[in-house]
Amino acid sequence: MNSPPPDAERPPDTERPPDTERPPGSGRSPAPARTSRAEGAPVGRRLVLGMLGLGVAGVAAAPALQRAVESGLGALAAEDPTGLTGLLPNGGGFRYYSVASSVPRRGPEDYRLTVDGLVDRPATYTLDRLAGLPQTRTVRDVQCVTGWRVPATPFEGVRLSELLDAAGVRPGAKAVRFTCFDGTYSESLTLSQARRPDVLVATRMKDAPLSHAHGGPVRLYVAPMYFYKSAKWLSGITVTDAVRPGYWEELGYDVDAWVGRSNGRDDAPTV
C-alpha cells in the first residue's frame, strides 16, 4: 500500500528521545583535547555569572521557543499539499499530517459541531457551548499503529457519552460515525465504544487550546485505540444503525483499533 502512515500526527523518524539522538562522536573515539597556554588559568567570576545567566534564560525561553516551532511547522503543514513538512522534526514528539490537500481554519465565530442521526434531539454546538459543559481531563500515551508513542499526553474536553445522552439515542442505534471539516476524513465507533469514559470530544491538548495543526479547535480523542481513530477537525457526530468504516478502515486498517490487540502489533495497551 503506497498510502502514507495513517495516524493524525507522525513522530520523528527515530524513536530515541531528542536529547539522545546521537552519542558524542557518533561512535568514534573522542578527539584528544588540545592544550593551550591558558590551561589551568582561573575562570573569571563575571564569566561564570554570565554563563549561568544564559543557562537560566535558555531554560526559561525553551517552552516558548518549542511552542513557536510547533506553531510554525503546523502553519506550514496546513498549506502544504505535498506532505514534505511532515519530514521536519519538532520537540513536541508529533509530526503534522493530513489526508486532505488543505484544511480550512475554524474559530469561535464559525466553528460548529452537529450531533444527528438516530437521536431524538439533534443539536449543534459552538465552542462556547462545549466549554460550558462538564470537562474531563485524560492523561494517556498516544500510540501510533506504526509503532511510535508519545507518553503521558494530556487531553481535555467533553465526554462523548455526555453529548450522546443529551441527544437521546434511539433504540436500534448501534454505532457512531464521525466526519471532519477537512472534507475527507471520517471515523467510526460502536455505540459501546463511544460511551467509554476515556473517549472525548477534545478541545485542549497538553493543557493548551487544541491547535489547528493538531486537529483544533475540536477533535475526537479515543484513548485506548491507535491514534488514527482520534479524528482531527471534528465537525459531525452521527448516530447510525451499523458501523460504517472510516477513511483508513476502507483502506484495510482494523475497525476495532485497540492498542496491542489489533493491526498485528503487540504494543503495550494505553489503558
Side-chain angles (χ1 to χ4, degrees):
M1 182 167 61
N2 295 324
S3 301
D7 298 82
E9 285 93 0
R10 292 186 297 178
D13 296 329
T14 173
E15 296 185 18
R16 290 175 300 199
D19 59 348
T20 58
E21 286 183 358
R22 181 171 297 185
S26 302
R28 298 185 299 269
S29 299
R34 295 182 179 179
T35 58
S36 69
R37 285 173 293 184
E39 185 176 359
V43 178
R45 180 172 178 272
R46 290 182 180 179
L47 178 59
V48 171
L49 293 177
M51 293 173 66
L52 289 174
L54 287 174
V56 170
V59 170
L65 181 59
Q66 178 174 314
R67 286 194 296 270
V69 170
E70 291 187 12
S71 177
L73 288 177
L76 288 172
E79 306 299 330
D80 176 20
T82 68
L84 292 177
T85 47
L87 299 176
L88 299 174
N90 79 83
F94 293 91
R95 298 229 175 177
Y96 305 102
Y97 179 70
S98 168
V99 298
S101 60
S102 65
V103 182
R105 292 178 179 268
R106 296 284 186 267
E109 68 287 346
D110 60 357
Y111 177 78
R112 300 293 183 272
L113 173 64
T114 60
V115 181
D116 56 19
L118 297 178
V119 297
D120 293 327
R121 296 175 294 276
T124 299
Y125 291 87
T126 62
L127 289 178
D128 285 343
R129 188 177 177 188
L130 287 172
L133 297 175
Q135 303 293 300
T136 296
R137 187 175 186 269
T138 298
V139 182
R140 299 280 181 82
D141 293 357
V142 169
Q143 177 71 55
C144 174
V145 69
T146 58
W148 59 267
R149 179 176 290 218
V150 180
T153 305
F155 280 89
E156 188 174 347
V158 181
R159 285 179 176 168
L160 177 57
S161 60
E162 298 276 353
L163 301 185
L164 296 175
D165 289 345
V169 176
R170 294 177 181 173
K174 302 294 185 183
V176 184
R177 177 174 171 80
F178 306 94
T179 50
C180 308
F181 63 78
D182 67 349
T184 303
Y185 205 78
S186 63
E187 257 309 334
S188 66
L189 294 171
T190 66
L191 194 56
S192 62
Q193 291 167 355
R195 289 190 178 280
R196 287 179 57 102
D198 52 4
V199 176
L200 304 181
V201 173
T203 56
R204 295 174 64 81
M205 185 183 88
K206 296 184 177 180
D207 300 314
L210 201 59
S211 70
H212 175 77
H214 282 301
V218 179
R219 74 175 299 160
L220 184 66
Y221 178 55
V222 185
M225 293 189 177
Y226 286 107
F227 207 33
Y228 65 84
K229 301 295 288 189
S230 297
K232 298 167 73 173
W233 306 300
L234 183 65
S235 62
I237 299 172
T238 301
V239 179
T240 60
D241 59 0
V243 171
R244 301 179 186 178
Y247 181 91
W248 286 108
E249 288 89 352
E250 292 283 2
L251 296 175
Y253 287 86
D254 284 358
V255 173
D256 294 317
W258 304 108
V259 172
R261 304 210 313 262
S262 61
N263 295 285
R265 297 191 59 85
D266 58 356
D267 303 294
T270 59
V271 293

